[in-house]
């Protein structure tokens, strides 16, 4: 976890989102997924390579 942002350095989700993911319905998963591109940019801006837009 990246402490300054509170995001996972690999998947860009928060702890709460990671915890709920397994029991989340499709609508909630889509809401979370929609947030990830902006979060990956934020991680990249903080020097986290996994946040680079071209990273898998």
């Amino acid at each position: 976890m990246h402490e300054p942002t509170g995001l996972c350095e690999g998947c860009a989700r928060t702890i709460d989102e990671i915890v709920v993911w397994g029991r989340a319905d499709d609508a909630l998963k889509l809401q979370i997924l929609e947030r990830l591109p902006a979060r990956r940019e934020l991680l990249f801006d903080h020097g986290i390579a996994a946040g680079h837009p071209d990273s898998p």
Side-chain angles (χ1 to χ4, degrees):
M1 296 302 290
H2 184 250
E3 282 195 45
T5 62
L7 301 173
C8 172
E9 293 182 8
C11 69
R13 292 178 293 166
T14 66
I15 288 283
D16 291 338
E17 291 168 343
I18 292 168
V19 169
V20 75
W21 187 262
R23 60 184 187 277
D25 62 17
D26 289 344
L28 179 54
K29 286 181 179 180
L30 286 173
Q31 288 175 2
I32 293 169
L33 290 172
E34 288 173 355
R35 299 176 189 141
L36 300 184
R39 291 177 178 180
R40 287 190 180 113
E41 286 185 36
L42 177 63
L43 287 170
F44 183 69
D45 290 346
H46 280 263
I48 306 301
H52 190 277
D54 294 333
S55 294

